[in-house]
Amino acid sequence: MILNKRILPGSHAGVPRKVDRAWFWFILALSALMAALLIGPRVPDHQQVAHCVVNVRVAGPIGITLNCDSAHFMNLARDPSMLLVPWEVLQHRPGMVLAAAILSMPLSPLVDLPRTLGVTIGRPDLDPQRVRKALRNNFPQYATYIMLNVMMLLLSFHYFRRVCEAGGVAGDAATTMVIVSLGLLLVANDVTKAFVWSPHTQMFNIFTPVFAVHASLRSWTGSLLDRRFAILVGLISGFGFTAYPLFAIIPPCVIVAGLLYAGRDHSPSTRSRSLHNSAMLLGLTVAPAALWYLFVRLSTGDFYHHGLAQGQVIWMSDALVHGVGALLSGWLQNLAALSTLAAAQASPIAAVIVLLLMMAVVQREIVGAVLGPMLPIAMIGIFVSVVITVFYSSVGLIAARLAFAIIPPLIVVVGVVAVTVMQRLEATQRRVLAYGCLMITTAQLIFIIVKDGPYS
């Protein structure tokens, strides 16, 4: 049960505090979505190989489609020493594996649960016994990965809500409906559908962009001057980077926002502190990966980076051999492909933007009242999206699940605008906006549940 930390009007110390309505409805909707995604498996058995998945049937209509990498994630969490094996594909990304290994220890009594439930595997090209063994022997690790996935979604909503409510908003039912509806767009998407029930790292494509916006907005208002803030963001970025490379976008976003704040202040001491804390943030971001690299090299004499071995990032140096034009052409092709994949997933937030524009036409005075205060937030959200786009275009790995990472910062911006607009509307208009957002999100939830795919 999530409790509101503030003493509500009319309440007294010692009286039980009311359940936080936004959290209640968000968790209820997320639970319903995850339960609906348990109805399956969704992939026909003959299409498992093509989609790089494995069907797992539990009981009755309940079944899931695991990503084909999931068994490897579970095996590594059960025996993390395998990360030191030569040519191990996750050797350069141990963070999620080590977290799952530690957190799964209390769940070890559940190891026999899949055998009790009679779980079966339906992939004919793989040894059924090997896949079944991976799930049955590693169920504590499987459950831990799923809990980590859910935690990433809950944290995404937490930081989304903190940004939306940073300026102080009325806690009425209409505003709560808008916050919950738009927050659910962070989870009602193809990334969640394909990976929330699979041990994997793809939930970071939702959490990392939202946290980057939150941290950048705090830095924009001067938080980078606080050493504790720099340390916290640096540690999150650093340990996060050992789990997923997208965490690399957090330091530049936060530092640029902080330096812009220092530039507005015109104080030499402010600029000095900003630069010092920026350097500390960068150092903490690099340190965990560097220490892991040294540990592996000292332990094995070598270090394997699967992404680089597959040509990620270094494709740019290969292209540069043929000239700057070849590099620019390849990079722009990546940019266009990534943007196209993101645009295909942006229809729900585009619908909310249309709804907000309609409200602005009806009550034009809200445009001036909202435009000024919202401009910095909009600029930061768009900047984070641009940095993510540049990052993945430079990595050179183009996929729909990665392209979705461009969208969460825009959801945050639209959420802030919608909540701010709500405070300037009349009662009838507030209901129209709230129910409009609810209808858009409900349609998206239904669409994600019933649609065919994605599977990987």
Side-chain angles (χ1 to χ4, degrees):
M1 180 180 296
I2 307 296
L3 298 179
N4 194 330
K5 294 183 179 180
R6 295 168 295 187
I7 299 295
L8 299 172
S11 64
H12 302 280
V15 178
R17 292 172 288 187
K18 294 183 179 179
V19 174
D20 187 305
R21 291 180 299 177
W23 271 112
F24 173 81
W25 289 111
F26 179 82
I27 291 175
L28 182 65
L30 176 60
S31 301
L33 173 63
M34 293 189 65
L37 295 178
L38 274 178
I39 300 173
R42 303 296 183 88
V43 182
D45 286 344
H46 68 277
Q47 294 183 12
Q48 293 177 93
V49 179
H51 294 298
C52 189
V53 297
V54 179
N55 283 340
V56 177
R57 292 174 173 81
V58 181
I62 299 176
I64 54 177
T65 298
L66 291 179
N67 183 270
C68 57
D69 295 330
S70 295
H72 192 56
F73 274 97
M74 289 185 285
N75 288 331
L76 288 175
R78 181 170 56 86
D79 184 8
S81 65
M82 293 170 57
L83 287 167
L84 301 178
V85 172
W87 311 106
E88 166 53 48
V89 297
L90 288 177
Q91 190 172 92
H92 67 298
R93 287 199 283 142
M96 190 73 160
V97 171
L98 295 176
I102 294 170
L103 296 175
S104 64
M105 292 178 181
L107 301 180
S108 56
L110 300 178
V111 67
D112 291 328
L113 185 59
R115 185 178 293 106
T116 302
L117 295 176
V119 170
T120 59
I121 309 296
R123 178 139 174 198
D125 68 307
L126 297 177
D127 178 2
Q129 292 300 324
R130 182 173 69 84
V131 180
R132 186 180 297 113
K133 181 179 178 181
L135 184 60
R136 287 184 172 179
N137 289 353
N138 301 327
F139 184 76
Q141 290 73 30
Y142 173 81
T144 300
Y145 277 115
I146 303 311
M147 286 189 289
L148 288 171
N149 285 347
V150 174
M151 183 183 73
M152 289 299 105
L153 297 179
L154 294 176
L155 284 173
S156 298
F157 179 69
H158 168 71
Y159 285 112
F160 166 79
R161 187 180 176 195
R162 285 189 65 177
V163 174
C164 287
E165 297 182 348
V169 298
D172 58 279
T175 303
T176 298
M177 189 181 298
V178 168
I179 291 174
V180 173
S181 297
L182 298 186
L184 285 169
L185 293 182
L186 293 170
V187 303
N189 53 65
D190 288 346
V191 176
T192 301
K193 178 166 185 175
F195 292 98
V196 74
W197 284 110
S198 284
H200 218 286
T201 54
Q202 294 306 309
M203 293 303 110
F204 288 123
N205 280 311
I206 298 172
F207 167 75
T208 309
V210 176
F211 179 77
V213 175
H214 166 76
S216 298
L217 283 171
R218 286 198 57 189
S219 185
W220 171 265
T221 57
S223 290
L224 189 58
L225 300 176
D226 184 350
R227 180 176 298 179
R228 292 172 300 178
F229 172 81
I231 291 173
L232 178 61
V233 174
L235 290 175
I236 291 174
S237 301
F239 285 105
F241 185 70
T242 66
Y244 202 66
L246 187 61
F247 278 87
I249 65 103
I250 295 176
C253 293
V254 171
I255 290 172
V256 167
L259 294 180
L260 288 174
Y261 171 84
R264 298 196 311 271
D265 187 81
H266 301 296
S267 168
S269 62
T270 297
R271 288 194 291 269
S272 176
R273 288 172 60 192
S274 295
L275 291 172
H276 176 79
N277 287 347
S278 295
M280 182 169 54
L281 191 158
L282 285 173
L284 290 171
T285 299
V286 173
L291 291 173
W292 172 251
Y293 172 81
L294 290 175
F295 172 75
V296 175
R297 284 299 301 265
L298 292 173
S299 300
T300 68
D302 199 4
F303 187 88
Y304 178 65
H305 194 295
H306 186 66
L308 297 181
Q310 297 298 309
Q312 296 173 22
V313 181
I314 62 174
W315 72 268
M316 293 187 288
S317 62
D318 296 337
L320 193 57
V321 172
H322 303 285
V324 176
L327 171 60
L328 183 61
S329 175
W331 192 86
L332 289 176
Q333 288 178 14
N334 290 343
L335 176 67
L338 196 69
S339 300
T340 300
L341 290 171
Q345 303 175 77
S347 54
I349 200 62
V352 177
I353 293 174
V354 171
L355 178 61
L356 289 171
L357 291 174
M358 292 171 59
M359 301 304 298
V361 170
V362 173
Q363 193 162 331
R364 296 183 181 179
E365 58 269 21
I366 67 173
V367 176
V370 171
L371 188 59
M374 292 299 101
L375 187 58
I377 297 176
M379 290 176 60
I380 288 175
I382 293 171
F383 177 67
V384 172
S385 283
V386 169
V387 171
I388 293 171
T389 306
V390 170
F391 175 81
Y392 274 134
S393 297
S394 301
V395 169
L397 181 61
I398 309 301
R401 66 182 185 274
L402 308 182
F404 180 79
I406 300 171
I407 298 175
L410 305 180
I411 294 176
V412 175
V413 171
V414 173
V416 174
V417 172
V419 168
T420 306
V421 167
M422 284 287 290
Q423 313 311 309
R424 292 167 170 80
L425 296 176
E426 299 175 357
T428 301
Q429 296 168 335
R430 289 163 63 84
R431 287 193 293 270
V432 170
L433 179 56
Y435 282 107
C437 291
L438 178 62
M439 290 175 62
I440 291 170
T441 297
T442 301
Q444 175 68 4
L445 283 166
I446 294 172
F447 174 69
I448 289 297
I449 291 170
V450 304
K451 69 174 288 192
D452 182 36
Y455 309 120
S456 61

